[in-house]
Amino acid sequence: MLVVAVPFLIAAASPFHAYRSAPYVAASLAGVLGLGLLFVQPLLAAGWLPGARLARMRRWHRRVGATLVTLVAIHVGGLLIASPPDAIDALLLRSPTPFSVWGVIAMWAVVLTGLLVALRGRMRLRPARWAAIHNALALVVVLGTIVHAVQIEGTMEAMSKWALCAAALLVAVAAVARTRLGALRR
Protein backbone atom coordinates (compact mmCIF):
# COMPACT_ATOMS: atom_id res chain seq x y z
CA MET A 1 0.00 0.00 0.00
CA LEU A 2 2.73 2.41 -0.99
CA VAL A 3 0.09 4.54 -2.71
CA VAL A 4 -1.25 5.43 0.76
CA ALA A 5 1.90 5.19 2.88
CA VAL A 6 4.23 7.40 0.84
CA PRO A 7 1.99 10.51 0.75
CA PHE A 8 1.16 10.05 4.43
CA LEU A 9 4.82 9.74 5.47
CA ILE A 10 5.81 12.75 3.36
CA ALA A 11 2.99 14.80 4.92
CA ALA A 12 3.94 13.63 8.42
CA ALA A 13 7.49 14.91 7.85
CA SER A 14 6.32 18.21 6.36
CA PRO A 15 8.02 21.36 7.62
CA PHE A 16 4.58 23.01 7.50
CA HIS A 17 3.81 21.21 10.79
CA ALA A 18 6.53 23.13 12.60
CA TYR A 19 5.07 25.56 15.09
CA ARG A 20 1.54 24.23 14.52
CA SER A 21 -0.59 23.07 17.40
CA ALA A 22 -1.18 19.38 18.05
CA PRO A 23 -4.89 19.63 17.06
CA TYR A 24 -3.89 21.21 13.74
CA VAL A 25 -1.30 18.50 13.01
CA ALA A 26 -3.77 15.75 13.98
CA ALA A 27 -6.42 17.34 11.72
CA SER A 28 -3.97 17.59 8.85
CA LEU A 29 -2.77 14.01 9.11
CA ALA A 30 -6.33 12.71 9.57
CA GLY A 31 -7.20 14.40 6.28
CA VAL A 32 -4.23 12.85 4.49
CA LEU A 33 -4.99 9.39 5.88
CA GLY A 34 -8.66 9.80 4.97
CA LEU A 35 -7.69 10.61 1.39
CA GLY A 36 -5.52 7.50 1.37
CA LEU A 37 -8.38 5.35 2.58
CA LEU A 38 -10.51 6.65 -0.29
CA PHE A 39 -8.09 4.74 -2.51
CA VAL A 40 -8.50 1.55 -0.46
CA GLN A 41 -12.30 1.62 -0.09
CA PRO A 42 -13.26 0.85 -3.71
CA LEU A 43 -10.63 -1.89 -3.87
CA LEU A 44 -12.24 -3.57 -0.88
CA ALA A 45 -15.81 -3.09 -2.12
CA ALA A 46 -15.03 -4.50 -5.56
CA GLY A 47 -12.93 -7.38 -4.22
CA TRP A 48 -9.83 -6.25 -6.08
CA LEU A 49 -7.27 -6.86 -3.34
CA PRO A 50 -5.38 -10.11 -3.84
CA GLY A 51 -5.41 -12.86 -1.27
CA ALA A 52 -8.74 -12.34 0.47
CA ARG A 53 -12.26 -13.51 -0.16
CA LEU A 54 -14.94 -11.03 -1.17
CA ALA A 55 -16.93 -11.47 2.07
CA ARG A 56 -13.86 -10.60 4.12
CA MET A 57 -13.09 -7.58 1.95
CA ARG A 58 -16.67 -6.34 2.33
CA ARG A 59 -16.33 -6.56 6.12
CA TRP A 60 -13.15 -4.54 5.87
CA HIS A 61 -14.95 -2.08 3.59
CA ARG A 62 -17.43 -1.42 6.40
CA ARG A 63 -14.64 -1.05 8.96
CA VAL A 64 -12.68 1.33 6.77
CA GLY A 65 -15.90 3.29 6.17
CA ALA A 66 -16.33 3.71 9.92
CA THR A 67 -12.68 4.75 10.14
CA LEU A 68 -13.29 7.37 7.43
CA VAL A 69 -16.18 8.84 9.42
CA THR A 70 -13.88 8.99 12.46
CA LEU A 71 -11.06 10.60 10.47
CA VAL A 72 -13.42 13.26 9.12
CA ALA A 73 -14.53 13.99 12.70
CA ILE A 74 -10.87 14.30 13.78
CA HIS A 75 -10.08 16.48 10.76
CA VAL A 76 -12.97 18.88 11.34
CA GLY A 77 -12.69 18.75 15.15
CA GLY A 78 -8.96 19.43 15.07
CA LEU A 79 -9.46 22.40 12.77
CA LEU A 80 -12.24 23.69 15.02
CA ILE A 81 -9.90 23.54 18.00
CA ALA A 82 -6.89 24.97 16.13
CA SER A 83 -8.73 27.83 14.46
CA PRO A 84 -12.39 28.17 15.46
CA PRO A 85 -13.20 31.25 13.32
CA ASP A 86 -11.75 29.72 10.14
CA ALA A 87 -13.41 26.34 10.70
CA ILE A 88 -16.79 27.90 11.47
CA ASP A 89 -16.55 30.10 8.38
CA ALA A 90 -15.79 26.99 6.32
CA LEU A 91 -18.69 25.01 7.83
CA LEU A 92 -21.07 27.92 7.20
CA LEU A 93 -19.76 28.23 3.62
CA ARG A 94 -18.52 31.79 4.23
CA SER A 95 -14.82 31.05 3.92
CA PRO A 96 -12.93 32.98 1.23
CA THR A 97 -10.97 29.82 0.37
CA PRO A 98 -12.60 27.73 -2.38
CA PHE A 99 -11.11 24.48 -1.02
CA SER A 100 -13.26 24.86 2.08
CA VAL A 101 -16.51 24.48 0.15
CA TRP A 102 -15.31 21.23 -1.40
CA GLY A 103 -14.22 19.93 1.99
CA VAL A 104 -17.63 20.69 3.47
CA ILE A 105 -19.40 19.02 0.53
CA ALA A 106 -17.24 15.92 1.00
CA MET A 107 -17.82 16.01 4.78
CA TRP A 108 -21.61 16.05 4.39
CA ALA A 109 -21.43 13.26 1.83
CA VAL A 110 -19.44 11.20 4.37
CA VAL A 111 -22.05 11.95 7.05
CA LEU A 112 -24.91 10.98 4.72
CA THR A 113 -23.09 7.80 3.72
CA GLY A 114 -22.59 6.89 7.37
CA LEU A 115 -26.28 7.46 8.07
CA LEU A 116 -27.26 5.46 4.99
CA VAL A 117 -25.19 2.53 6.24
CA ALA A 118 -26.35 2.84 9.85
CA LEU A 119 -30.02 3.01 8.86
CA ARG A 120 -29.89 0.48 6.05
CA GLY A 121 -32.28 -1.99 7.70
CA ARG A 122 -34.80 0.68 8.64
CA MET A 123 -34.90 2.42 5.28
CA ARG A 124 -36.55 -0.45 3.43
CA LEU A 125 -34.75 0.33 0.23
CA ARG A 126 -34.25 -2.38 -2.34
CA PRO A 127 -30.60 -3.48 -2.44
CA ALA A 128 -30.07 -2.04 -5.94
CA ARG A 129 -31.53 1.34 -4.93
CA TRP A 130 -29.46 1.38 -1.73
CA ALA A 131 -26.29 0.54 -3.67
CA ALA A 132 -26.98 3.26 -6.24
CA ILE A 133 -27.39 5.89 -3.51
CA HIS A 134 -24.31 4.60 -1.68
CA ASN A 135 -22.22 4.69 -4.87
CA ALA A 136 -23.40 8.19 -5.78
CA LEU A 137 -22.51 9.48 -2.32
CA ALA A 138 -19.15 7.71 -2.51
CA LEU A 139 -18.34 9.50 -5.76
CA VAL A 140 -19.29 12.84 -4.18
CA VAL A 141 -16.97 12.04 -1.26
CA VAL A 142 -14.09 11.14 -3.57
CA LEU A 143 -14.55 14.05 -5.98
CA GLY A 144 -15.13 16.59 -3.21
CA THR A 145 -12.13 15.37 -1.26
CA ILE A 146 -9.86 15.43 -4.31
CA VAL A 147 -10.86 18.97 -5.30
CA HIS A 148 -10.45 19.99 -1.63
CA ALA A 149 -6.99 18.44 -1.40
CA VAL A 150 -5.51 19.62 -4.70
CA GLN A 151 -6.42 23.24 -3.96
CA ILE A 152 -4.54 23.24 -0.66
CA GLU A 153 -0.85 24.07 -0.66
CA GLY A 154 0.21 22.60 2.63
CA THR A 155 1.57 19.49 4.22
CA MET A 156 1.08 17.18 1.24
CA GLU A 157 3.89 17.27 -1.29
CA ALA A 158 2.49 18.03 -4.77
CA MET A 159 3.60 14.93 -6.72
CA SER A 160 2.50 12.37 -4.13
CA LYS A 161 -0.76 14.26 -3.57
CA TRP A 162 -1.63 14.27 -7.27
CA ALA A 163 -0.67 10.59 -7.62
CA LEU A 164 -2.85 9.61 -4.65
CA CYS A 165 -5.76 11.72 -5.91
CA ALA A 166 -5.51 10.23 -9.40
CA ALA A 167 -5.34 6.69 -8.00
CA ALA A 168 -8.33 7.29 -5.70
CA LEU A 169 -10.39 8.73 -8.53
CA LEU A 170 -9.46 5.93 -10.92
CA VAL A 171 -10.38 3.08 -8.58
CA ALA A 172 -13.56 4.82 -7.36
CA VAL A 173 -14.87 5.39 -10.88
CA ALA A 174 -13.85 1.88 -11.97
CA ALA A 175 -15.52 0.23 -8.96
CA VAL A 176 -18.75 2.20 -9.34
CA ALA A 177 -18.82 1.55 -13.10
CA ARG A 178 -18.30 -2.16 -12.49
CA THR A 179 -21.08 -2.22 -9.90
CA ARG A 180 -23.50 -0.23 -12.09
CA LEU A 181 -22.75 -2.32 -15.19
CA GLY A 182 -23.28 -5.48 -13.17
CA ALA A 183 -26.63 -4.16 -11.95
CA LEU A 184 -27.70 -3.31 -15.51
CA ARG A 185 -26.82 -6.81 -16.73
CA ARG A 186 -29.02 -8.34 -14.03
Side-chain angles (χ1 to χ4, degrees):
M1 283 292 152
L2 290 175
V3 172
V4 177
V6 169
F8 181 82
L9 292 172
I10 291 171
S14 172
F16 285 108
H17 285 152
Y19 311 108
R20 294 290 191 163
S21 67
Y24 180 89
V25 173
S28 170
L29 294 177
V32 175
L33 185 55
L35 175 57
L37 291 182
L38 291 181
F39 169 73
V40 175
Q41 273 294 73
L43 297 174
L44 291 167
W48 290 339
L49 290 177
R53 293 186 320 209
L54 184 59
R56 185 171 185 186
M57 282 191 254
R58 295 267 167 91
R59 275 194 308 278
W60 274 104
H61 178 76
R62 287 189 292 276
R63 291 173 183 153
V64 170
T67 302
L68 275 168
V69 171
T70 303
L71 288 171
V72 168
I74 293 168
H75 184 66
V76 174
L79 293 174
L80 271 167
I81 293 167
S83 181
D86 290 338
I88 290 169
D89 281 349
L91 292 170
L92 295 176
L93 303 176
R94 332 184 275 222
S95 177
T97 55
F99 65 80
S100 297
V101 173
W102 291 102
V104 171
I105 290 168
M107 176 199 71
W108 282 114
V110 167
V111 169
L112 290 173
T113 304
L115 288 171
L116 182 71
V117 170
L119 301 173
R120 184 175 187 170
R122 295 181 184 179
M123 295 182 77
R124 295 188 177 137
L125 290 172
R126 291 182 306 185
R129 171 80 38 113
W130 187 91
I133 295 168
H134 181 72
N135 289 341
L137 285 169
L139 286 176
V140 171
V141 170
V142 171
L143 289 171
T145 301
I146 287 171
V147 175
H148 175 69
V150 298
Q151 291 182 353
I152 297 172
E153 290 186 33
T155 60
M156 289 190 82
E157 177 270 330
M159 230 19 181
S160 65
K161 174 173 48 176
W162 278 95
L164 177 56
C165 288
L169 181 61
L170 177 69
V171 296
V173 170
V176 168
R178 179 178 179 258
T179 302
R180 294 293 78 203
L181 290 175
L184 289 175
R185 285 187 199 144
R186 283 183 235 131

